[in-house]
Structure formats: structure tokens, C-alpha cells
Amino acid sequence: MARIISPSMLSADFGYLADDTRMIDRSAAEWLHIDVMDGVFVPNISFGFPVLAAIAKETTKFLDVHLMIVEPEKYVRRFAEAGAALVTIHAEATKDLPAALRMIREAGVLAGVSIKPATPVETIADVLPLCDLVLVMSVEPGFGGQKFMPESVDKVRKLRSMIDQQNLKTLIEIDGGVSPQNAGMLFAAGCDVLVAGSSVFGAPDPVEAIEQMLNAE
């Protein structure tokens, strides 16, 4: 399995966003995570198209865009055009998940689905063949810096089993409360990608924190 760190720009210093983006670009992190919130699906508002496009200009990293918005179908193509390499939508945010995932692929980018902590992994079993990635939320979506929910580890293990049983190459990503202290456990449970926000940008040496997570046992 892969070991990828995707630092969340939600925890960056917005006054120095270009500097923080370039710092991550020099690090061992392969991806860069962009949380898009609309204040409706989650109780917060964050990045939009102009910010994503500005970040894309400052990095060569794979742009991992997580849409926490209602009716994501309306915006998929625009996020792809703004620089997203992967667009992840919430299973809870769309009425026709298979169609939405196909729409993402038709936009020329990878397709991901995310599930909230209360959503069972079984609810997305039928769409796994359409997914390049599944994002397991290990906190309630909407804010950074929350405490990791340990029960998320069982969801990752179950999801890994489902993916393996279907002989798929779907990646598993986890987001929320990820740190050097639990990174090794999460990789061992079946995660391929760890989203890390405050544990990277709040660290004395963010680049070293990324290395610690990549090499955690």
C-alpha cells in the first residue's frame, strides 16, 4: 500500500498562504489537501475557486480537493478547471452518488467519495468500482484541530476488506486528528493517504512532522 501525506491547507497561515504552499512543495508530502466548505453542508466556510487556482500556481503537488458542499455536481467541472487532480464529494451531499462520481471522471480528474463518522462504510459498497479514493472522516467535518475518533480505525479495516474483496485499486484516505503518534497505526489498518492539518502546520518543523508520519511504525 502507498504511504502518502496530504497536508491540509485549512490549517495553514492564510496571511502567508503562498509561503506555506511552497514549504509543503519542498517537503516529502506527495499531495496537498484543499477543504472546500459552503456553510450549508458543514457549519463553516473556507476556500473557493480563486484560492485553489492561486495554490495551484505555487505547487507541483497532486491537489486533493475535498468538497464539503451541497449539490457538488454543480461545481465539479470548475474545480477540475481550477487545478484539482482529485475531487472528493460526500455520499451524504448528493441524491445520485453514482452519477456524481461519473461526472467527476468525465471532468478529467480522479473521483473520491467521503463519509461522515456516523455513515457506515456499507452505504458506499456499490459505488466502490467508481471510486479512485474513499475518504473516511475521523472527526466531524467542518473544522480543523478536532480530536481523532478511534472508532474510525475499524471503518478503515472494514473498508480495506471490501476493496480487497472486489479486487479494486481504490485508495483509502483518512482525515481528522492525524498525527505522528497515530500515523503508523493508520497505515497498518489500511490507509494509503493521511490528511494532516494542525499536526503539520502547528509543528515547530512542519517538514519534519511530515517525515515522522511517513516513517511512523
Side-chain angles (χ1 to χ4, degrees), residues 147-188:
K147 188 176 180 180
F148 179 81
M149 295 179 173
E151 57 270 29
S152 305
V153 180
D154 286 336
K155 292 179 75 173
V156 170
R157 292 192 184 104
K158 188 177 292 186
L159 185 57
R160 174 53 60 196
S161 178
M162 291 165 58
I163 290 169
D164 290 347
Q165 285 174 7
Q166 295 189 46
N167 197 29
L168 301 173
K169 296 182 179 179
T170 309
L171 299 176
I172 299 176
E173 181 176 54
I174 195 161
D175 183 0
V178 173
S179 70
Q181 288 69 44
N182 61 19
M185 172 190 66
L186 295 172
F187 281 130

Side-chain angles (χ1 to χ4, degrees), residues 32 34 48-65 75-87 107-110:
L32 198 153
I34 310 292
F49 308 110
V51 175
L52 173 59
I55 290 173
K57 291 179 181 178
E58 301 295 335
T59 186
T60 59
K61 302 295 184 182
F62 180 97
L63 291 181
D64 166 25
V65 177
Y75 307 100
V76 164
R77 187 165 296 277
R78 288 184 65 188
F79 277 108
E81 292 171 351
L86 162 72
V87 173
V109 297
L110 300 183

Side-chain angles (χ1 to χ4, degrees), residues 19-207:
D19 291 341
D20 278 357
T21 302
R22 287 191 289 265
M23 180 264 293
I24 297 300
D25 198 60
R26 296 190 297 268
S27 78
E30 294 182 45
W31 291 15
L32 198 153
H33 192 81
I34 310 292
D35 287 304
V36 178
M37 308 178 192
D38 62 0
V40 180
F41 183 72
V42 292
N44 201 359
I45 297 174
S46 63
F47 306 112
F49 308 110
V51 175
L52 173 59
I55 290 173
K57 291 179 181 178
E58 301 295 335
T59 186
T60 59
K61 302 295 184 182
F62 180 97
L63 291 181
D64 166 25
V65 177
H66 176 198
L67 302 186
M68 288 173 271
I69 63 177
V70 297
E71 298 183 294
E73 301 91 339
K74 291 183 178 181
Y75 307 100
V76 164
R77 187 165 296 277
R78 288 184 65 188
F79 277 108
E81 292 171 351
L86 162 72
V87 173
T88 297
I89 61 174
H90 268 267
E92 307 91 352
T94 178
K95 295 180 180 178
D96 190 341
L97 183 56
L101 291 168
R102 292 188 188 98
M103 187 178 296
I104 297 172
R105 289 186 159 188
E106 289 167 2
V109 297
L110 300 183
V113 62
S114 182
I115 52 175
K116 290 182 176 183
T119 302
V121 295
E122 290 82 1
T123 62
I124 59 167
D126 292 344
V127 299
L128 285 177
L130 297 174
C131 299
D132 297 291
L133 175 142
V134 175
L135 169 54
V136 174
M137 292 301 301
S138 46
V139 298
E140 289 296 335
F143 295 93
Q146 296 182 62
K147 188 176 180 180
F148 179 81
M149 295 179 173
E151 57 270 29
S152 305
V153 180
D154 286 336
K155 292 179 75 173
V156 170
R157 292 192 184 104
K158 188 177 292 186
L159 185 57
R160 174 53 60 196
S161 178
M162 291 165 58
I163 290 169
D164 290 347
Q165 285 174 7
Q166 295 189 46
N167 197 29
L168 301 173
K169 296 182 179 179
T170 309
L171 299 176
I172 299 176
E173 181 176 54
I174 195 161
D175 183 0
V178 173
S179 70
Q181 288 69 44
N182 61 19
M185 172 190 66
L186 295 172
F187 281 130
C191 290
D192 301 285
V193 187
L194 307 185
V195 177
S198 55
S199 62
V200 169
F201 291 101
D205 185 341
V207 172

